[in-house]
Amino acid sequence: MSRREKKRHKGELPPDRGLPAGARVPFWHSIRSKYALTYLVVIAAVICLLNTYPLLMAQNMVFKSKETALKSQTAAVASALAVSEELTAEGAEQAMLLLEDLSATRILVTNEAGLVLYDSSTREDNLYRYAMLGEIVTALRGNDVFRSEYRDRAFRSRAAVPIVYRGQTIGAVYLYESDAEQAQLLEEIQGNLRYISAVICVAAVVLCVVFSRALTRNVDNLLAAFRQVREGEYSYRVRLRGKDELAMLAGEFNELTGRLQTTEEVRRRFVSDASHELKTPLASIRLLTDSILQSENIDMDTVREFVSDIGEEADRLTRISEKLLTLTRLDARTTVETQRVDVAHVIQRVEHMLFPLARAVEVRLTCHLEEGCAVLATGDDLYQVVFNLVENAIKYNLPGGFVDVKLCKSGDTVILQVCDSGVGIPEDEMDKIFDRFYRVDKARSRAAGGTGLGLSIVRQTARQHGGEVTVARREGGSGTVFTVTFPAFSGEGDAQ
Amino acid sequence: MKKKTRRLVLWGLPILLAAIAAAVILALVLRPPQRTGLLWFAVKESEDHITPAALGCEDYYGALDAGALLDALMDGPRDPLLESPFQGVHVLSWELDQEGTMTVDLSEEYGGLSGVDLTLADYCITLTLSQLPGVEQVRTLVDGEELPYRSKQVFNAEDVIFSGTEEEPVEVDVTLYFPRQDGAGLGSEGRTLTLTEDMPVTQGALEALLQGPEDTALRAAVTHELTVLAVRLDESSGICYVNFSTQWWDCVPESLWEQRLMLFSIVNTLCSMDKVTQVQLLVDGAALDALGGLNISGPVAPDWTLVGAAD
């Protein structure tokens, strides 16, 4: 956690809410500016390097070449002068006259005490003056000297060597060279590099604007798409060219929007269906009460019959409301507090509860339960699943039929199977029966008190607990087989 | 509020004045001593870089007399960049004569110095003592005797070169020769040129000549733009080689007399300098055939007969 985040966590800083939806991104915070800045910083760094390193290298190369040349010349002069024990002005002049092609701007020759015996300078007469130059003193002490610098548009180099005769230092030679030509060359190179750098800078700025715009255009398109969808335009799809991450993001966005659209349509349909289902019993109640109220000479038996029908419709409303509530709770629940549930025990409770109903409609209810089938679930939810399946199997059955409940374990899966000899479900409607309010036979369902929500609850509950429900036609006769699978739980815990 | 302001002024003003007075007194008391002179020493050699000058100085605050200066010299420098060339040396006596020569007698340790170290020591003493009024030159003795192996015994402050001075401009007096306005011959004009070592005097003088005269009685030797590519003096022969650009052909006048005046403006100007006896003209490296009716394929000597009376 960064320092700012820690401070926010402690409450020392206000929470970072980011930009409000729809707000304009400040210029210096936008991806385009950041990209452009990064690009320009890199280019600037390269240009700085381009304008410094090659010139420094070139300067060093010139210094090295100057050092070689001057040292060679000083050595040649020293060698020409080292012909006797003592250096004189005349001897120095004679020796210098014989030397040609010296590139030095100035040559000084001194004796061992630093007295000038020869000076090529035409500006002043330094003969028999003492040259207390740093280079000459160092050379008279026996060391070769060279130094060069680039200053005032010229390479200014100085070299000095001792004149040694038979191991004795008899004097020193000092050479000074001022080279403006090399300096001019260097300046031309520098000028060209600057010109090239300027062109590169301009090109970089232009390209930077173009590339950043191209890069962020897709981001802007995505942002616009988000805003459209946020306004409720779930049918909006964004089209991005390319195969980069942004194109992938666009693809995911379209997928998400498609699901949002589907969900929205399902929600609308559900609300429409729910409102229709609720309106229907209310309309019946309204009709029945109006009939009672508007009939003047209505007999009591008829009234009783009408009131009984009103009661049934009210019960139906109650059942629909309860099941809607259950579904809503299932929809809203993100975490399920589960525990070890013995499925056989739940089935036995359901059997006990529905046995009277089965007997009343002359349907035989049998259970074949395997021991040790435990799942990690909520007891009430599992009861609801079993109850809905067995109740449907009984209600949509024929007199003399049967409902067979089997429970077994296969590997890591607990399998619950409810098989009935009822009216069956057509093949083309098998995948729709789990949809909310879907009924194969509306009339029969209504007569049986059905709401059209039972199987939706079964599927949603099974999925929430890691299971799945499937439906198939019963082999060898009419009827249906519902199979619910759950992951088996083998751990310890209090069974419900 | 008014009362507060009055109180502030009443108390604050005296305090402020007292603070100012204290600051002035402190400044007077703690002011740095006034420099009376300079002490010269040798510059320490460094492994990292070579200093331009071998002699350096530091401020001196003592009495400006020979004894005090010499004592301070023998004590050595305070500046860590300087070093004393007088290790173990002490002054025996010193005397200034009427000719302005200061004679300094030093102990025998001074005789142990030789070569450039001796020169450095001699000039440290010379430059330091030359600050004294009446001191023109300095002689150093060792135990009352001159050092026989030393080529000079008397030293002058003007006889030392401290640094290369190649880049320092030096004023050089030259004489330039221009054609006279009446066309009768050449006239001379003295000019002081400020030159660095990069620009030889010959080249400097030639460039000044091409710029034209300041004297209204004279006119330009070359009327068009002309570039000097190179000037080289062969000291052995005394011939100065001058290489002009091809702009030369635009500058050559039609009249033979004018050509001759132009030629000897250049030749006489250069030959008025030391060591130059003749001038060889080249254009783009190639020798010229003739100019002003004269054969100039070889070096040309000056013609002083063309120079008229002084302006």
Side-chain angles (χ1 to χ4, degrees), chain A residues 205-215 217:
Chain A
V205 167
V206 168
L207 285 173
C208 178
V209 168
V210 167
F211 286 151
S212 67
R213 206 167 268 184
L215 179 78
R217 189 188 307 129

Side-chain angles (χ1 to χ4, degrees), chain B residues 98-252:
Chain B
Q98 285 178 350
E99 279 101 49
T101 303
M102 173 73 82
T103 303
V104 180
D105 192 8
L106 298 153
S107 62
E108 65 177 279
E109 287 83 2
Y110 198 77
L113 297 172
S114 65
V116 70
D117 296 320
L118 179 59
T119 310
L120 285 169
D122 286 335
Y123 269 98
C124 285
I125 297 171
T126 304
L127 292 169
T128 303
L129 293 179
S130 294
Q131 296 171 94
L132 295 170
V135 178
E136 301 292 331
Q137 51 201 16
V138 173
R139 180 194 291 127
T140 54
L141 304 174
V142 177
D143 261 346
E145 303 285 333
E146 287 182 349
L147 289 171
Y149 52 83
R150 199 164 50 189
S151 50
K152 282 174 83 169
Q153 302 296 336
V154 179
F155 303 96
N156 206 308
E158 283 79 40
D159 284 345
V160 66
I161 311 167
F162 288 109
S163 66
T165 68
E166 291 92 359
E167 292 144 40
E168 287 174 22
V170 170
E171 288 185 345
V172 177
D173 293 324
V174 296
T175 307
L176 307 178
Y177 291 89
F178 295 96
R180 285 160 51 172
Q181 286 286 6
D182 57 12
L186 296 175
S188 67
E189 181 182 294
R191 196 79 70 88
T192 303
L193 305 178
T194 307
L195 302 171
T196 59
E197 198 62 47
D198 301 352
M199 176 76 75
V201 179
T202 46
Q203 186 165 354
L206 201 54
E207 303 269 357
L209 181 74
L210 294 176
Q211 281 168 14
E214 290 167 356
D215 191 340
T216 50
L218 307 170
R219 56 183 165 88
V222 175
T223 50
H224 289 78
E225 195 180 329
L226 180 61
T227 305
V228 177
L229 296 179
V231 177
R232 187 177 72 85
L233 172 62
D234 182 356
E235 290 185 13
S236 59
S237 59
I239 299 172
C240 183
Y241 296 88
V242 182
N243 190 14
F244 290 109
S245 67
T246 50
Q247 293 162 313
W248 168 268
W249 304 113
D250 298 329
C251 302
V252 176

